[in-house]
Amino acid sequence: MMSAAKETKVFMDQNLQFYLRTKRFIFFIILVALITAVIYGLIAGGVVVAPTTAEGFDTFYFTFITDLVIILGAFLGGDAMATDFSLKTGSFVLSQPVKRVSILLGRYLGALIIGVAIVTLYYVLGALGMLYLYKGVPVQVGESYLLSLVFVASAIALGFLFSSMFKNGSTAIVTAIILMLLVFSIVTGVLDVTNIEPWFILTYGGQVVTDILVVPYGAHKTVLGAGRISVTTYTPYVWEGLVIMVGYLVISLVVSIIIYNRREI
Amino acid sequence: MEISAINLTKNFGAERGVTDLNFKFTKPGLVGYLGPNGAGKTTTLKLFSNLLFPTSGNAIVNGIDVRESPAKALSNISALVESPEPYPHQTASEFLEFVGRIRGMNPGDTKKRITELADELHLESLAKKTGKMSKGNKQRVMLAATFLPDSDILLLDEPTGGLDPAEAKDVRDVLKEMKKDKLIIMSSHLLYEVTDVADDIIFINGGKILLIDTVENVSSKFGGKNNTQGLEDTYIKLIREGQL
């Protein structure tokens, strides 16, 4: 029998090959290139006035990072495990002398490598633009990049949670997108009105990726209006955002492993 | 080598899959597992390959309970259950090398074994992506993946399904050679196939084992008839009347 580390490596390689062969990696590269091209095109074409400082530019450029991470989480995590059931490879793979936790973690690492590569590309393209336009890159961009790596790790883990629950990969992807893009936004909006801090929402924690680009860092609690019609907007502390993201990462992976271990075919 | 079921039971909610299965095989040879659709053949094989978990009882492989130590128990098993397919984005060769890695095989040994199996099973181009292969070719790739590691025990669920008669004969020839030093349990609907390769036979229906005997004994009960006819008579009598 192989060691757990070797087993994990085999499935990591297999998942990396899957993303590369199915052109999903290329799709994300094209998506990042398109976002970047549109942003620079808007500035070059005079449609958007170029921010006067690099700090102003980075908050504009990285507006899309949250949505990009969510899409990465859904598409890289959503069908990673469910594919085995829809493609009927599961009855063969799961009857091999390999621990199921190694299969799941190996595939997670494969997805994470792709996710990190795409996020890194997005930041590199942004940094190159700032170097060209402003001759420098604010230190906050580096901090935002590090936080985005934690965010992408937790978003992919959440995608894996859905993948371990569903038999159909497409269902898992769609459910992950609906939850992270729609449900989380709606719940956060409702909580704003009810003055409750949405500390249990992943995308609220992930806000720190863009919040940290704003100098000075925003106030934790902002109340708009007064009395019965006041709306309270929360900005997570950086430590708080980290705790939320790491919490989602750990809980999603642990629950995924438990579900996958109990899964019958 | 040893494979045994001890009061092995699997229920699917209120529905019964298999009930109180008891058998033990300890020598090389091929055991034909016969029964109509829904009899419990695939369920039994899944219980031994950790794809289903028993409601009660034990599936034991070489003294190891599959449910308690699945990876250890499965290290001596190669299973092909419910017509799985290879990953469509991989070539046949890549898929087989992937299986070799899962089984901890040396890359050189894997390549050598793939060449042998490609010859024995008449595999189409190993460089072709499996997603573009016909059903029969995919089935042969899966058979090669199953035969790749040198497992003591093979669990095969209708292994010739989807193959044409000539391809099915190739598989039976491989099985005849392999059963000399391996224990193979093979479910099938095809009585002539079982007659051709099996040494022992299990009849199952309604999730219960009706008969375990050698093919020779079962056939001899219908003296003067050829083996296939003997098995067919036994099968029909057992399945329709529940006894011989």
Side-chain angles (χ1 to χ4, degrees):
Chain A
M1 275 167 60
M2 277 193 294
S3 70
K6 277 188 179 172
E7 287 176 358
T8 304
K9 171 81 167 51
V10 173
F11 284 91
M12 185 186 83
D13 293 346
Q14 184 258 338
N15 209 25
L16 277 171
Q17 187 191 49
F18 170 74
Y19 293 130
L20 295 172
R21 287 279 171 84
T22 54
K23 300 184 176 67
R24 209 169 288 195
F25 184 56
I26 301 294
F27 164 77
F28 280 113
I29 288 177
I30 292 170
L31 181 67
V32 167
L34 273 177
I35 293 171
T36 307
V38 167
I39 292 170
Y40 287 124
L42 288 174
I43 291 173
V47 180
V48 173
V49 179
T52 52
T53 62
E55 284 79 8
F57 178 82
D58 64 19
T59 48
F60 173 58
Y61 179 84
F62 291 110
T63 305
F64 301 99
I65 186 65
T66 310
D67 291 335
L68 178 66
V69 167
I70 288 170
I71 292 168
L72 282 168
F75 277 88
L76 297 179
D79 64 350
M81 308 311 291
T83 301
D84 269 340
F85 300 95
S86 50
L87 289 179
K88 287 170 68 178
T89 43
S91 65
F92 187 78
V93 171
L94 295 183
S95 66
Q96 299 302 315
V98 182
K99 291 178 197 72
R100 291 189 181 189
V101 63
S102 304
I103 300 176
L104 192 137
L105 289 180
R107 291 196 176 152
Y108 174 76
L109 290 174
L112 186 59
I113 288 171
I114 298 290
V116 166
I118 297 298
V119 166
T120 303
L121 176 69
Y122 187 58
Y123 274 84
V124 166
L125 292 176
L128 288 174
M130 279 178 263
L131 276 174
Y132 178 74
L133 295 170
Y134 305 99
K135 314 294 178 213
V137 180
V139 69
Q140 293 84 3
V141 173
E143 293 167 348
S144 170
Y145 171 64
L146 293 176
L147 289 168
S148 75
L149 298 185
V150 184
F151 190 28
V152 80
S154 55
I156 292 173
L158 189 59
F160 266 71
L161 177 60
F162 289 110
S163 196
S164 63
M165 288 195 290
F166 292 102
K167 279 195 170 180
N168 185 303
S170 305
T171 310
I173 289 173
V174 170
T175 308
I177 286 181
I178 289 175
L179 179 82
M180 289 194 268
L181 274 183
L182 287 178
V183 177
F184 280 172
S185 299
I186 292 168
V187 173
T188 305
V190 170
L191 293 177
D192 280 349
V193 180
T194 52
N195 298 342
I196 297 170
E197 184 184 3
W199 55 266
F200 46 87
I201 302 281
L202 173 61
T203 45
Y204 173 69
Q207 261 179 240
V208 293
V209 174
T210 47
D211 288 342
I212 204 161
L213 296 166
V214 180
V215 183
Y217 196 83
H220 179 59
K221 189 175 175 183
T222 309
V223 182
L224 298 172
R228 294 174 113 187
I229 51 164
S230 67
V231 173
T232 307
T233 308
Y234 288 91
T235 301
Y237 299 112
V238 175
W239 65 264
E240 186 186 16
L242 269 171
V243 169
I244 293 168
M245 291 188 291
V246 172
Y248 264 89
L249 169 63
V250 173
I251 292 169
S252 297
L253 281 183
V254 169
V255 176
S256 302
I257 290 166
I258 291 169
I259 292 172
Y260 196 55
N261 267 328
R262 293 182 179 182
R263 192 87 189 251
E264 292 183 297
I265 300 182
Chain B
M1 60 186 74
E2 180 200 322
I3 188 161
S4 56
I6 303 167
N7 301 323
L8 190 59
T9 298
K10 176 65 184 176
N11 299 331
F12 300 99
E15 204 176 311
R16 292 189 168 194
V18 292
T19 308
D20 274 333
L21 301 186
N22 283 288
F23 59 76
K24 183 174 188 175
F25 295 95
T26 56
K27 290 177 186 166
L30 196 147
V31 180
Y33 202 30
L34 282 174
N37 286 326
K41 303 186 298 290
T42 301
T43 300
T44 309
L45 298 183
K46 282 184 169 185
L47 288 166
F48 277 95
S49 43
N50 200 41
L51 299 173
L52 289 175
F53 311 139
T55 305
S56 62
N58 310 86
I60 309 286
V61 176
N62 293 335
I64 303 160
D65 190 312
V66 174
R67 191 64 198 120
E68 281 176 16
S69 305
K72 203 171 173 189
L74 294 173
S75 63
N76 255 319
I77 281 188
S78 280
L80 188 64
V81 183
E82 223 172 35
S83 310
E85 292 185 1
Y87 290 113
H89 65 275
Q90 288 182 319
T91 65
S93 179
E94 284 169 346
F95 180 72
L96 295 171
E97 283 166 17
F98 164 68
V99 174
R101 286 185 71 195
I102 294 178
R103 304 299 298 223
M105 292 171 68
N106 171 297
D109 293 344
T110 304
K111 277 196 185 340
K112 193 178 160 201
R113 186 77 185 114
I114 290 172
T115 310
E116 289 169 5
L117 286 166
D119 186 44
E120 287 170 17
L121 294 168
H122 300 109
L123 285 182
E124 215 183 46
S125 168
L126 288 168
K128 190 173 182 178
K129 278 195 183 168
T130 64
K132 291 180 179 169
M133 286 183 170
S134 66
K135 191 182 172 193
N137 283 325
K138 284 181 193 172
Q139 175 73 357
R140 280 185 285 164
V141 172
M142 290 312 300
L143 282 162
T146 310
F147 298 155
L148 187 71
D150 191 24
S151 305
D152 286 342
I153 299 166
L154 278 85
L155 306 175
L156 306 174
D157 186 19
E158 300 181 15
T160 56
L163 301 182
D164 67 33
E167 292 168 340
K169 187 183 174 305
D170 290 339
V171 174
R172 288 201 299 277
D173 288 344
V174 173
L175 292 177
K176 280 178 192 170
E177 198 55 38
M178 291 182 103
K179 74 173 187 174
K180 289 175 186 169
D181 60 356
K182 294 180 191 305
L183 172 55
I184 304 169
I185 297 186
M186 181 185 85
S187 78
S188 179
H189 285 297
L190 308 171
L191 296 180
Y192 69 87
E193 184 172 86
V194 174
T195 315
D196 189 26
V197 293
D199 305 295
D200 296 286
I201 198 158
I202 302 175
F203 281 97
I204 184 171
N205 193 20
K208 291 182 178 173
I209 289 177
L210 304 176
L211 176 78
I212 302 178
D213 208 336
T214 62
V215 173
E216 201 180 328
N217 280 345
V218 172
S219 300
S220 68
K221 286 179 183 164
F222 294 83
K225 294 176 180 178
N226 66 45
N227 279 349
T228 305
Q229 185 62 51
L231 270 184
E232 189 174 283
D233 290 345
T234 308
Y235 181 91
I236 291 168
K237 210 166 169 46
L238 272 172
I239 300 309
R240 296 228 172 117
E241 298 168 20
Q243 58 180 15
L244 277 173

